[in-house]
């Protein structure tokens, strides 16, 4: 079964997309063609969006699902005339919340993603810069400032996880690749030993590692079955011997990996 899903907003669309994606993920038997339409903040833009929705309904022969965070009532009115099943996210949640709190919400466009606190925003930027500057073990002199240091074999997901932790939670995350020499020694590199309490390991299924490495260096020793199976087996032995907590990243998204790391380590977000 195929359906088109629209995420429509008069702002960035991040809220509509995030909640909509979470809800649609519960329907494994439905294939969704997902379309995000941000900054639909005028009647003219709403009319064009409605035309696109109607076209999708015609092609699919079933009305699209629409998640929206449109605040302007006139803009919403034009969207409501389209041939789609609309879910008003703010209306669904804000009205009961207003009743419970006994207060009216501001209904301000973009308020959920505004730079409300300069200190919080600065922490995110600092954390992102830290992740980029301390990537792949190139620089280790700032590890004392790190909230966490991810280790693992090449292409196990360290860099994207560090960047997500920084961007989403303001966490200063460094990463250090475990090389073949490190694996042979079966000991933490000397550079990491003073920071043992901050270290967290990532691993990955060898078959998945082979696929990823072959995209980067096809038919190489680096991407060979023998090398990938060897590295994963030995690095997991090292984790256990050195009592380093670790996670297999194979079946998780970056968001899930990051959240699980925070739960397993007890690290708290640095920004609101």
């Amino acid at each position: 079964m195929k359906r088109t899903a629209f995420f429509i907003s008069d702002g960035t669309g991040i809220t509509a997309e995030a909640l909509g994606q979470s809800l649609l993920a519960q329907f494994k038997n439905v294939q969704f063609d997902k379309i995000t339409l941000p900054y639909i903040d005028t009647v003219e833009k709403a009319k064009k969006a409605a035309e696109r929705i109607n076209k999708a309904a015609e092609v699919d022969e079933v009305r699209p699902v629409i998640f929206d965070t449109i605040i302007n009532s006139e803009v919403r009115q034009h969207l409501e005339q389209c041939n789609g099943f609309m879910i008003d996210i703010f209306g669904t949640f804000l009205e009961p919340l207003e009743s419970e709190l006994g207060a009216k919400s501001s209904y301000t466009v973009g308020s959920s993603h505004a730079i409300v606190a300069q200190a919080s925003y600065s922490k995110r930027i600092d954390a992102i810069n830290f992740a980029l500057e301390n990537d792949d073990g190139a620089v280790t002199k700032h590890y004392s400032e790190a909230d966490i240091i991810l280790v693992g074999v090449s292409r196990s997901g360290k860099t994207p996880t560090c960047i997500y932790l920084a961007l989403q939670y303001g966490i200063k995350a460094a990463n250090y690749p475990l090389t073949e020499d490190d694996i042979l020694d079966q000991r933490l590199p000397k550079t990491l030993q003073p920071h043992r309490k901050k270290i967290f390991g990532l691993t990955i299924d060898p078959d998945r590692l082979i696929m990823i490495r072959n995209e980067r260096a096809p038919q190489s020793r680096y991407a060979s079955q023998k090398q990938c199976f060897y590295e994963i087996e030995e690095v997991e032995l090292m984790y256990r011997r050195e009592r380093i907590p670790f996670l297999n990243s194979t079946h998780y998204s970056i968001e899930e990996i990051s959240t699980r790391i925070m739960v397993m380590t007890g690290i708290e977000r640095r920004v609101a």
Side-chain angles (χ1 to χ4, degrees):
M1 182 188 301
K2 177 183 175 297
R3 297 288 289 266
T4 300
F6 286 88
F7 310 108
I8 303 178
S9 175
D10 42 20
T12 62
I14 294 173
T15 301
E17 193 174 51
L19 183 55
Q21 294 269 29
S22 297
L23 293 172
L24 295 181
Q26 308 308 311
F27 299 90
K28 304 294 185 184
N29 60 329
V30 182
Q31 178 185 349
F32 292 100
D33 183 11
K34 301 170 184 176
I35 300 170
T36 302
L37 301 179
Y39 302 112
I40 305 300
D41 50 9
T42 66
V43 169
E44 186 61 32
K45 291 180 182 178
K47 289 179 179 178
K48 290 182 179 179
E51 289 175 4
R52 189 166 180 182
I53 293 165
N54 291 336
K55 180 64 176 177
E58 181 182 340
V59 172
D60 295 345
E61 297 183 341
V62 63
R63 61 180 180 169
V65 178
I66 304 164
F67 298 91
D68 83 89
T69 54
I70 300 292
I71 291 172
N72 185 292
S73 58
E74 189 177 4
V75 173
R76 285 203 89 256
Q77 187 177 15
H78 281 82
L79 281 174
E80 288 170 346
Q81 296 173 8
C82 71
N83 185 20
F85 175 68
M86 292 191 68
I87 299 174
D88 177 3
I89 293 175
F90 282 163
T92 300
F93 295 104
L94 283 181
E95 289 174 11
L97 193 55
E98 287 175 338
S99 177
E100 175 64 24
L101 297 176
K104 284 290 184 181
S105 62
S106 64
Y107 280 86
T108 304
V109 176
S111 60
S112 59
H113 301 287
I115 304 176
V116 178
Q118 185 62 42
S120 176
Y121 180 74
S122 295
K123 284 182 180 179
R124 290 180 196 269
I125 298 301
D126 288 346
I128 292 169
N129 287 333
F130 184 88
L132 295 174
E133 291 168 1
N134 294 273
D135 183 45
D136 276 345
V139 178
T140 61
K141 62 183 179 181
H142 302 301
Y143 278 10
S144 61
E145 300 174 31
D147 295 310
I148 190 168
I149 302 168
L150 298 186
V151 299
V153 301
S154 173
R155 315 308 286 182
S156 57
K158 301 183 300 300
T159 296
T161 302
C162 285
I163 292 173
Y164 185 85
L165 285 168
L167 179 64
Q168 190 70 15
Y169 303 116
I171 291 171
K172 288 186 175 181
N175 81 75
Y176 188 98
L178 295 173
T179 66
E180 197 164 354
D181 288 341
D182 298 325
I183 293 170
L184 284 171
D185 290 343
Q186 279 293 300
R187 289 288 182 269
L188 274 179
K190 290 183 179 180
T191 303
L192 296 178
Q193 289 176 10
H195 312 289
R196 177 181 292 271
K197 292 182 179 179
K198 297 180 179 182
I199 295 172
F200 189 94
L202 287 182
T203 185
I204 187 172
D205 288 355
D207 289 333
R208 177 61 179 157
L209 184 62
I210 293 167
M211 291 175 60
I212 294 171
R213 287 187 174 182
N214 264 303
E215 291 175 2
R216 185 179 186 185
Q219 307 305 315
S220 64
R221 176 178 175 273
Y222 168 77
S224 68
Q225 183 182 58
K226 181 179 179 180
Q227 184 65 21
C228 290
F229 271 82
Y230 165 73
E231 288 186 28
I232 293 301
E233 182 179 6
E234 293 300 314
V235 81
E236 289 184 4
L237 283 173
M238 178 198 290
Y239 291 156
R240 294 186 178 96
R241 180 173 294 142
E242 294 282 347
R243 296 184 180 180
I244 297 169
F246 67 96
L247 174 70
N248 188 315
S249 65
T250 307
H251 302 295
Y252 299 126
S253 65
I254 296 301
E255 295 88 346
E256 291 174 301
I257 295 169
S258 301
T259 303
R260 287 176 182 272
I261 288 173
M262 292 179 68
V263 170
M264 292 173 70
T265 61
I267 293 177
E268 297 182 357
R269 64 168 67 215
R270 302 292 184 246
V271 293

